[in-house]
Amino acid sequence: MWDTLGLVPPDAVPRSYQDQVKATPQCDSFMHLHLGFDAECVKEDLGIHHIVVNDWDKGVDGEQNVVLISVPSVLSEGLAPPGKHILHAYTPGTEPFGLWDGLDRKSAAYRSLKEERSEVMWKAVELALGPKFSREKCDVKLVGTPLTHKRFLRRNRGTYGPAIKAGEATFPGQATPVPQLFCCGDSTFPGIGVPAVAASGAIVANTLVSVAQHSELLDAVGI
């Protein structure tokens, strides 16, 4: 919603709508770790998904407290070269953007902070993969930060999305005060995540196309 607002002429949007968007709280961002390494460096019965919680008292939304790990090549060998594994680890929307705001991505300060803030993921990966794993032997090492999220995913402040809590508020619908402008994505109902975002697109399609046209299309594709 924040980026869309910047694409619309200010005089075309009511002040109340602008204020609503600007006042919407944001979830924090992410740290990411992408690795490629020899399969022989991990235990043979390695599972695909792992969750490491450092301190249950801090909660799953505690800063640097939870790391999620996925090794998809465990199930799909074709995702990596023969004898290799790929891995993605991340902190789930708990990395404050304020730590990174204003940093030059080419600076020594940025590189130093990347190393510092990625350590929690390295330690989680070492715990999940076992003693045979060595970070020094990885063929691929890529660290993503909130600035990475902002740049490559075009996320305002690298955010995961609106921090709208169930039971306290609801995600806005797809219609806007601007005629003929409908919005879909995780700033609209039903919210954040791939299934929810896909559903928001379906809602817009249902809004624009009549039931009769839906039926014609379903007949055309044989459903």
Side-chain angles (χ1 to χ4, degrees):
M1 60 169 69
W2 304 280
D3 294 321
T4 300
L5 187 62
L7 298 175
V8 182
D11 57 358
V13 183
R15 172 60 62 181
S16 59
Y17 185 75
Q18 296 182 42
D19 292 342
Q20 173 190 332
V21 170
K22 294 175 181 177
T24 301
Q26 293 182 335
C27 294
D28 284 332
S29 191
F30 291 77
M31 288 296 297
H32 292 276
L33 182 64
H34 291 275
L35 303 176
F37 51 90
D38 285 334
E40 64 182 19
C41 293
V42 297
K43 52 190 178 184
E44 294 182 1
D45 59 346
L46 181 66
I48 180 174
H49 293 305
H50 310 263
I51 299 176
V52 175
V53 180
N54 294 312
D55 186 344
W56 282 104
D57 291 333
K58 291 184 178 180
V60 295
D61 56 351
E63 184 179 325
Q64 295 251 298
N65 191 42
V66 176
V67 177
L68 281 72
I69 301 168
S70 177
V71 193
S73 50
V74 167
L75 298 183
S76 299
E77 294 180 357
L79 294 176
K84 303 288 185 179
H85 275 313
I86 56 172
L87 178 149
H88 175 216
Y90 63 96
T91 57
T94 57
E95 182 69 8
F97 185 80
L99 295 174
W100 304 84
D101 196 11
L103 283 179
D104 181 349
R105 291 182 296 102
K106 297 180 181 180
S107 68
Y110 179 65
R111 292 193 294 272
S112 177
L113 190 58
K114 282 178 68 173
E115 183 175 352
E116 174 190 336
R117 301 295 289 183
S118 64
E119 183 63 22
V120 67
M121 297 183 294
W122 279 109
K123 289 181 177 179
V125 168
E126 289 168 345
L127 179 64
L129 269 54
K132 292 168 56 178
F133 174 79
S134 170
R135 65 175 77 180
E136 287 75 22
K137 294 182 179 180
C138 288
D139 301 305
V140 176
K141 304 176 186 178
L142 297 172
V143 176
T145 73
L147 296 186
T148 312
H149 248 246
K150 179 182 178 181
R151 181 187 182 198
F152 290 101
L153 300 181
R154 299 180 65 182
R155 298 297 295 186
N156 185 279
R157 295 177 61 82
T159 183
Y160 181 42
I164 298 176
K165 295 183 178 181
E168 297 182 9
T170 58
F171 280 81
Q174 281 66 35
T176 74
V178 181
Q180 303 303 311
L181 175 62
F182 292 84
C183 289
C184 58
D186 61 16
S187 291
T188 65
F189 180 84
I192 297 174
V194 173
V197 168
S200 74
I203 291 172
V204 172
N206 290 339
T207 302
L208 299 176
V209 181
S210 69
V211 174
Q213 289 173 303
H214 276 275
S215 297
E216 292 175 3
L217 179 60
L218 292 173
D219 289 339
V221 297
I223 297 179

